Every structure is written in C-alpha cells, then in structure tokens.
Amino acid sequence: MTSEESRLAELRGWLGELSTPSRVFVAAGRFTEPDPDLPELAARVRDLLARTATDEAWRRFLPGYVPPPVPRLCAALEPLEAAEAVPFLTTLATVDLLWPSHRHRPAEAAARAADRVVTLLGPSGSWWTNHDAACGAVNGLTPLFDSLLAGTDGRHYALALQIADD
C-alpha cells in the first residue's frame, strides 16, 4: 500500500468512527479532476446526498428526492474557519439535530476522530458547511433537517452529513 493509499484509508477509517446507521453519513476520497475546487467538492456532496436518500430508513421521507444541482449546492455552502472544523464535526457526529440531549457518539471519541480527520486534511484544508454562522440560518440540502461539513485539502475530501425528521 502506498503512502497515498494509506492516508486515504486512514481518513476513511476516522470518518467511519463518526458515522452512525441511518443518521450520520460520511464519505471520503481522492479527487480525480486536476485542480479541484468548490464545484468538485459540491459534486461529492451531491453523491453523498443521493446515497443518503437511498438508505432504507430515509427512502419513505424522500420519495423522488433528487439532490440539488452542483451550482445550487455551491451557493448553499458557507466557508468555515479551520479552527471551527473539529468542534463542528464533533457536534455533528455527537448531538442529535432534533433532540440535543440525545447523543449519537460519545463526545470524547468523536472529538478524537474529528481531530484526526481535520489533521489529515492539514492546516491548509478548506472547510464548508450549510450553516450560515453570521445569522444562524441553515441552507437545507434536503427536505429534512440536515447538517453538513465538507472539507478538502485540494486532493482529498471528507464529508459528514447528519439528517433528521420530525
């Protein structure tokens, strides 16, 4: 296994520590396009949204759902300061969107995994979310409640999405 393959396997492994069945979905990979930017990252977000919609637990809530086109996803994503990526990812994997007292993952374990994911993408990694921190709004990506964090180092990407329905 090359160091590149090893790094990607580690990224996927740590993201897997943040996922939960039918609630927190994750994806990681390496871009195949030269010089990927936000549209390429949004395309990977779109793939994750499509995969989530086919999950057995969510199909009935998302009949006929088609993820937004890439330009609309780009417009929904807000930059997140790198220093906020670990706490945001920890919260996304830990705290339920509808029932904040319910925990999906133990906070300590989630923080450790989130820190490793962010570290693997490095200090120059860029982070995006569907939350607008300035006003507290969420740019919904699905007809459900959702929270997304997407990161990239320009070569690899890491995605985490929590969905909920009332």
Side-chain angles (χ1 to χ4, degrees):
M1 184 181 296
T2 67
S3 64
E4 182 70 24
E5 291 167 335
S6 176
R7 183 172 177 217
L8 184 54
E10 186 178 1
L11 182 61
R12 286 180 172 147
W14 284 109
L15 269 173
E17 294 291 319
L18 299 169
S19 70
T20 62
S22 303
R23 200 58 144 188
V24 179
F25 298 85
V26 298
R30 197 171 98 197
F31 291 108
T32 55
E33 304 88 354
D35 301 320
D37 204 354
L38 187 57
E40 289 77 18
L41 183 62
R44 296 322 184 279
V45 169
R46 191 171 197 279
D47 294 342
L48 179 61
L49 291 168
R51 190 182 89 209
T52 302
T54 65
D55 183 86
E56 188 175 329
W58 294 105
R59 270 185 265 167
R60 68 187 174 113
F61 294 105
L62 297 166
Y65 170 74
V66 175
V70 167
R72 200 161 121 222
L73 287 171
C74 287
L77 297 177
E78 300 284 339
L80 185 73
E81 293 293 325
E84 295 301 314
V86 170
F88 191 97
L89 186 53
T90 301
T91 300
L92 190 147
T94 306
V95 180
D96 188 84
L97 289 172
L98 291 180
W99 307 104
S101 62
H102 175 73
R103 297 294 186 251
H104 295 290
R105 291 274 183 228
E108 221 174 84
R112 190 171 39 257
D115 183 64
R116 192 65 192 135
V117 167
V118 172
T119 298
L120 284 166
L121 290 185
S124 62
S126 61
W127 296 93
W128 302 85
T129 182
N130 62 328
H131 293 253
D132 185 337
C135 68
V138 176
N139 301 317
L141 305 174
T142 69
L144 308 171
F145 295 102
D146 54 63
S147 183
L148 170 81
L149 182 66
T152 181
D153 63 2
R155 190 168 183 167
H156 301 90
Y157 62 89
L159 311 172
L161 171 73
Q162 185 187 143
I163 59 172
D165 188 48
D166 62 354

